[in-house]
């Protein structure tokens, strides 16, 4: 029987200074794998952020509390569902007594999400359309006057199911850019090319893989590179971010155990250590 994680505790130690390792976060799960809470702490053991989530008998989240004590931010969410388990309403309460209510309306392959303020006036509206395979083919965003502010249209390959094109529109249904997706014969993503409304290439990303089909290099039009290096057991991964001039911006090496759980993350600025408790 596979063990289930009950709690993950992370510890942080900054480099280049005389600092001790300290408890920086704790995340606890229920026996179904749902996150119950996530807490973050500073070096003085002060609680700096908190997320608490509760669930119904169907394991659907019905409330979520999100607080950032450093930023003085607080938000509470309360969710309701229909008899099919679809989200039907979400209430978001903010500091100062303001709140928003999102209502979800389902019609065949279309979901409409309407956001109302505390005075029951419409703030915005979203329309999401799916194809028969539950893939998003259209997303439209409208403002409080029901004017279109943003639209995204997706196209997919009928054989593989991979996305092959994404069109982005702004207000007045004006095309902004198009993303084209390219794949290897293995089905792995090879690259993405982005063009503006005039057909000029404004960005591209290319991905390379090793013999185990693991991504090793991601290059962009700006010259920036993301480089990934692995050991034979796949228990150690080094990730490097290199800017267009060839300078290393950041590096992080992740160490995992045989179960794939992260044990340590080593970056230029700090080290993070992870401890697990099980059911």
């Amino acid at each position: 029987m596979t063990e289930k994680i009950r709690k993950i505790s992370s510890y942080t130690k900054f480099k280049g200074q005389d600092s001790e390792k300290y408890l920086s976060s704790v995340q606890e799960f229920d026996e179904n794998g749902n996150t119950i809470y996530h807490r973050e702490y500073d070096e003085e053991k002060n609680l700096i952020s908190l997320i608490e989530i509760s669930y119904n008998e169907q394991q659907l989240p019905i409330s979520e509390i999100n607080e950032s004590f450093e930023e003085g931010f607080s938000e509470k969410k309360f969710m309701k569902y229909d008899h099919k388990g679809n989200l039907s309403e979400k209430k978001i309460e903010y500091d100062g007594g303001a709140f928003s209510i999102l209502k979800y309306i389902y019609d065949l392959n279309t979901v409409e999400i309407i956001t109302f303020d505390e005075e029951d006036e419409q703030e915005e509206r979203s329309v999401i359309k799916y194809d028969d395979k539950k893939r998003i083919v259209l997303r439209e965003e409208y403002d409080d006057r029901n004017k279109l502010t943003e639209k995204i249209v997706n196209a997919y390959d009928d054989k593989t199911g991979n996305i092959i094109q994404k069109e982005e529109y702004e207000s007045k249904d004006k095309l902004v850019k198009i993303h084209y997706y390219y794949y290897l014969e293995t089905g792995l993503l090879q690259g993405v090319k982005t063009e503006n409304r005039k057909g000029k290439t404004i960005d591209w990303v290319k991905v390379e893989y090793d013999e185990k089909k693991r991504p090793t290099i991601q290059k962009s039009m700006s010259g920036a590179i993301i480089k990934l290096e692995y050991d034979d057991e796949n228990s150690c991964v080094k990730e490097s971010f290199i800017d267009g001039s060839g300078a290393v911006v950041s590096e992080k090496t992740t160490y995992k155990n045989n179960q794939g759980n992260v044990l340590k993350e080593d970056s230029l600025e700090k080290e993070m250590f992870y401890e697990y408790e099980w059911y």
Side-chain angles (χ1 to χ4, degrees), residues 135-172:
R135 301 172 300 197
I136 296 177
V137 294
L138 174 68
R139 185 180 185 106
E140 296 174 322
E141 304 289 344
Y142 297 85
D143 62 15
D144 57 348
R145 295 174 294 175
N146 266 326
K147 290 187 176 182
L148 181 70
T149 59
E150 181 183 346
K151 183 172 77 171
I152 295 176
V153 181
N154 297 324
Y156 301 87
D157 185 289
D158 291 333
K159 294 182 179 179
T160 65
N162 293 325
I163 185 170
I164 55 176
Q165 183 174 307
K166 179 168 73 172
E167 300 174 353
E168 295 185 21
Y169 296 81
E170 59 184 11
S171 59
K172 298 182 180 179

Side-chain angles (χ1 to χ4, degrees), residues 155-157 160-165 180-192 209:
Y156 301 87
D157 185 289
T160 65
N162 293 325
I163 185 170
I164 55 176
Q165 183 174 307
Y180 298 96
Y181 298 79
Y182 303 91
Y183 299 86
L184 300 170
E185 292 182 356
T186 57
L188 296 171
L189 180 66
Q190 184 180 30
V192 182
Y209 302 85

Side-chain angles (χ1 to χ4, degrees), residues 184-242:
L184 300 170
E185 292 182 356
T186 57
L188 296 171
L189 180 66
Q190 184 180 30
V192 182
K193 180 177 70 172
T194 302
E195 296 181 354
N196 62 15
R197 64 169 63 96
K198 296 181 179 180
K200 179 181 178 181
T201 300
I202 57 175
D203 195 14
W204 54 257
V205 175
K206 297 180 181 178
V207 186
E208 299 177 10
Y209 302 85
D210 63 14
E211 66 279 358
K212 295 183 178 180
K213 299 182 179 180
R214 300 175 298 191
T216 55
I217 297 288
Q218 179 178 304
K219 300 179 181 177
S220 67
M221 185 175 175
S222 66
I225 295 174
I226 299 176
K227 184 178 180 181
L228 294 166
E229 301 173 80
Y230 309 85
D231 66 359
D232 293 336
E233 290 77 28
N234 212 32
S235 61
C236 177
V237 181
K238 182 179 180 181
E239 185 177 32
S240 304
F241 291 83
I242 305 167

Side-chain angles (χ1 to χ4, degrees), residues 54-71:
S54 60
Y55 303 83
N56 61 16
E57 295 180 353
Q58 289 73 42
Q59 306 307 313
L60 298 170
I62 55 175
S63 69
E64 178 179 328
I65 299 174
N66 192 333
E67 293 188 85
S68 175
F69 302 103
E70 278 190 324
E71 301 175 1

